[in-house]
Amino acid sequence: DAGVTQSPTHLIKTRGQQVTLRCSPKSGHDTVSWYQQALGQGPQFIFQYYEEEERQRGNFPDRFSGHQFPNYSSELNVNALLLGDSALYLCASSPGLAYNEQFFGPGTRLTVL
Amino acid sequence: LAKTTQPISMDSYEGQEVNITCSHNNIATNDYITWYQQFPSQGPRFIIQGYKTKVTNEVASLFIPADRKSSTLSLPRVSLSDTAVYYCLVPNSGGYQKVTFGTGTKLQVIP
């Protein structure tokens, strides 16, 4: 049983560009959350998707947007990249909104130059 | 906004028991407390979750006093592979999965 998978593993972009990160949840999971983890910090909640809708959102600007597909996979899009967007982006899945335990993927390391 | 406070770092020798305490003064009545472990360049991994008193699983125990303003993660007989960052989480308003991780406790196990 594959766990949460994310692609790509690493990505290098320049300021002002746009990026799309992808996540496939663990089998049987329908809820996906995205987190940003800067170096030396804990993960910060970006938003959560369930039934193809954004259900909750953290304190992130509109440059951060997402999508969930009918097969429960998800994308995170970041527009107009800033140097400060450099971070590890983590995807987590769970079998429903009310489920406390989340299963995290290995993350995508984004570097903005 | 729910907030947790943990020690920034701890050192322990192999084979010792390690206790990491987290304070969460404004935890809501029905909130669970969850602990995650994270190795470098990996996503966090769920360790244990509890609501009150004591919870034990195959890797750790979680002690929660009656006032629930703090909790203690106990790792029995740590090994070098337990070197990681440990996060204590309580939910923010809006749901269990909208959580704040904080900076966590970096545990270094020494041979």
Side-chain angles (χ1 to χ4, degrees):
Chain A
D1 174 32
V4 178
T5 59
Q6 293 186 243
S7 63
T9 306
H10 296 86
L11 202 53
I12 299 175
K13 292 285 188 178
T14 56
R15 280 179 296 176
Q17 285 190 311
Q18 178 265 344
V19 68
T20 297
L21 310 181
R22 295 176 175 81
C23 170
S24 291
K26 183 177 170 63
S27 178
H29 289 189
D30 57 7
T31 305
V32 173
S33 298
W34 287 91
Y35 293 81
Q36 179 195 65
Q37 185 172 26
L39 203 60
Q41 303 296 315
Q44 300 300 304
F45 177 84
I46 303 175
F47 43 52
Q48 176 190 66
Y49 278 85
Y50 174 73
E51 292 187 337
E52 302 179 50
E53 289 186 10
E54 183 183 295
R55 298 291 177 157
Q56 298 187 80
R57 190 177 182 93
N59 188 26
F60 279 80
D62 292 343
R63 298 188 296 111
F64 290 77
S65 64
H67 188 78
Q68 185 179 35
F69 299 94
N71 67 352
Y72 309 124
S73 67
S74 177
E75 288 182 348
L76 164 65
N77 301 292
V78 187
N79 294 321
L81 285 167
L82 304 173
L83 295 179
D85 295 331
S86 294
L88 180 68
Y89 288 84
L90 295 161
C91 170
S93 72
S94 63
L97 285 171
Y99 200 72
N100 220 1
E101 179 181 351
Q102 298 183 72
F103 294 78
F104 284 81
T108 294
R109 173 70 63 185
L110 172 65
T111 301
V112 182
L113 303 176
Chain B
L1 190 67
K3 180 176 172 59
T4 59
T5 303
Q6 305 173 232
I8 293 174
S9 64
M10 295 179 69
D11 291 339
S12 175
Y13 288 102
E14 271 192 298
Q16 289 190 326
E17 178 185 74
V18 171
N19 295 309
I20 305 174
T21 297
C22 173
S23 55
H24 27 76
N25 293 325
N26 59 345
I27 188 172
T29 305
N30 297 323
D31 284 347
Y32 277 78
I33 299 144
T34 310
W35 286 79
Y36 282 82
Q37 173 194 57
Q38 186 177 26
F39 298 111
S41 298
Q42 294 186 24
R45 182 176 73 100
F46 174 90
I47 302 175
I48 197 167
Q49 169 190 297
Y51 177 72
K52 62 179 180 180
T53 61
K54 178 183 175 182
V55 178
T56 298
N57 62 21
E58 63 276 9
V59 298
S61 294
L62 180 59
F63 299 91
I64 305 167
D67 65 7
R68 300 194 344 114
K69 292 184 182 300
S70 67
S71 60
T72 299
L73 173 72
S74 180
L75 304 172
R77 298 180 299 280
V78 293
S79 64
L80 295 176
S81 63
D82 293 317
T83 294
V85 178
Y86 292 83
Y87 295 97
C88 160
L89 278 71
V90 295
N92 293 325
S93 60
Y96 284 103
Q97 295 169 16
K98 185 180 180 180
V99 291
T100 299
F101 269 76
T103 54
T105 297
K106 184 172 183 178
L107 172 65
Q108 181 69 52
V109 179
I110 305 164

